Amino acid sequence: MNDVCRVLQIRYPIIQGGMGNISNAQLASAVSEAGGLGTIGVGTMSPDEVEEIIIETKRRTNRPFALNIPIQVTPYVDEMVSLVLKHRVPVVSLSAGNPAPLIPRLTEQGVKIIVVTASVKQAKKAEAAGADIIVAEGYEAAGINSTLELTTMTLIPQITSAVRIPVVAAGGIGDGRGLLAAFALGAQGVQLGTRLIATKDAPFHEAYKQLITNASENETVIVGRSVGRVRRIMRTPYAEKLLQYEKEGVPLETFNEYTSEDRHRRGALQGDFYEGFVNAGQISGLIKDMPTVAELFHQMMEEAKQQLHKLHTLLHS
């Protein structure tokens, strides 16, 4: 059995990325029900808000799911760990900070640990701290990214050569070809974000979904480089305003206000692209349909098998 599937007790080696304050039980449970690992991203939500989503997710599915805790983003790290233990959430994804202090408390209760990394150094530290799985994320990915800006194609083989635990590839993956490519680079699974937004199960504003399915290959932009807060978002009127603010020398505190989770919700949930932004990865240009999550996973697995057959023929011709 694939090591990612074995450790997480899932059918397909496909993980949902944390989506911050737009996380919801509907999509997380749909991913788990389809055979992947659904994820609830806590973002800056309160413990009460997150607990409500956990309870609803457990009502919708009895299959494994994860809670993503962005350590330097949420002001409620301890409370989120307590929720994991209280509700027996089987998997925790740790990102945006040092995971080492949190891992022992979780693993001693049987919780499986995924750590999101953006460099070989981070991956090796996560493994040493007791992580079960590494997610190696290239900067093609949507949302908050590492200032290192390493690509998935270069990052995955370096990390898989440096650690012994299973590695999951993230960033720029949205179909069976990407899944097979991740395997070829040494990963044993993939993490999806943008591709899951454009599904029938995702309860986001229709205008957000249409932006993704109508996107060309160059319709995402990086904002925040000038203040050390790299984020990949869809090119919209609000994104253009953010870029202009940076040209004018916006201070970090003001930039953080302009890219707050309230602005994120406005774009993703209300479809307001003049006063809110939407995260999107470079894979947007490849996405042209809107299946259910279950249909997507089936398509990805079948496409990977077909592509593998083609490659076998090419290599043995």
Side-chain angles (χ1 to χ4, degrees):
M1 177 185 281
N2 176 289
D3 286 340
V4 168
C5 293
R6 176 182 55 78
V7 170
L8 301 177
Q9 294 296 294
I10 56 179
R11 181 182 180 188
Y12 298 129
I14 303 174
I15 297 173
Q16 176 189 358
M19 294 179 176
N21 288 42
I22 66 168
S23 283
N24 58 84
Q26 182 174 326
L27 182 56
S29 61
V31 171
S32 292
E33 282 291 294
L37 184 76
T39 300
I40 300 165
V42 309
T44 59
M45 289 188 283
S46 71
D48 287 345
E49 289 176 291
V50 173
E51 184 168 33
E52 185 176 329
I53 298 173
I54 291 172
I55 291 170
E56 177 63 13
T57 302
K58 293 184 74 172
R59 188 188 70 79
R60 288 171 173 263
T61 184
N62 60 5
R63 297 184 180 183
F65 65 93
L67 193 74
N68 171 248
I69 304 175
I71 297 165
Q72 293 181 349
V73 175
T74 175
Y76 306 109
V77 172
D78 289 340
E79 292 89 342
M80 296 306 168
V81 171
S82 295
L83 284 177
V84 168
L85 301 180
K86 175 182 177 181
H87 292 284
R88 299 183 180 276
V89 178
V91 183
V92 166
S93 167
L94 299 172
S95 59
N98 179 15
L102 302 178
I103 291 177
R105 183 181 172 193
L106 292 163
T107 55
E108 69 183 12
Q109 296 299 318
V111 178
K112 298 301 181 183
I113 304 296
I114 298 170
V115 177
V116 182
T117 66
S119 71
V120 171
K121 181 179 179 180
Q122 291 173 5
K124 292 172 74 172
K125 283 187 173 182
E127 180 181 41
D132 295 290
I133 291 173
I134 297 293
V135 168
E137 184 174 77
Y139 98 117
E140 300 96 321
I144 297 172
N145 272 312
S146 167
T147 55
L148 299 174
E149 298 194 15
L150 300 173
T151 66
T152 302
M153 187 76 173
T154 58
L155 184 63
I156 301 307
Q158 292 183 72
I159 287 183
T160 57
S161 296
V163 301
R164 295 179 299 277
I165 58 177
V167 174
V168 169
I173 300 165
D175 62 10
R177 292 171 295 177
L179 174 62
L180 184 61
F183 286 164
L185 294 173
Q188 294 195 49
V190 296
Q191 179 171 284
L192 307 181
T194 305
R195 174 65 268 202
L196 291 171
I197 297 293
T199 61
K200 293 175 182 175
D201 299 291
F204 306 121
H205 200 280
E206 193 64 23
Y208 182 13
K209 296 183 179 186
Q210 290 299 325
L211 267 185
I212 292 172
T213 56
N214 293 334
S216 63
E217 75 277 10
N218 62 347
E219 288 188 37
T220 67
V221 296
I222 291 289
V223 297
R225 281 197 180 104
S226 65
V227 292
R229 291 291 189 272
V230 175
R231 181 190 288 268
R232 186 177 295 281
I233 63 177
M234 188 65 78
R235 188 183 295 277
T236 61
Y238 192 73
E240 296 294 349
K241 285 200 287 187
L242 290 175
L243 292 170
Q244 183 59 40
Y245 293 149
E246 286 195 78
K247 288 181 181 179
E248 296 168 359
V250 63
L252 174 59
E253 183 177 344
T254 304
F255 180 83
N256 286 340
E257 292 175 4
Y258 289 156
T259 54
S260 68
E261 283 298 326
D262 176 62
R263 297 285 187 177
H264 185 196
R265 285 178 184 257
R266 287 193 202 187
L269 303 182
Q270 300 174 27
D272 183 352
F273 303 140
Y274 288 89
E275 296 299 329
F277 66 89
V278 287
N279 293 327
Q282 286 185 317
I283 198 66
S284 298
L286 190 69
I287 300 170
K288 301 303 176 189
D289 62 349
M290 204 174 301
T292 66
V293 172
E295 289 168 345
L296 172 64
F297 289 0
H298 177 74
Q299 290 169 9
M300 287 181 66
M301 298 304 295
E302 288 303 308
E303 185 177 27
K305 292 173 185 176
Q306 292 168 12
Q307 194 67 21
L308 180 60
H309 178 72
K310 291 179 182 179
L311 292 176
H312 185 271
T313 301
L314 284 173
L315 290 171
H316 293 82
S317 60

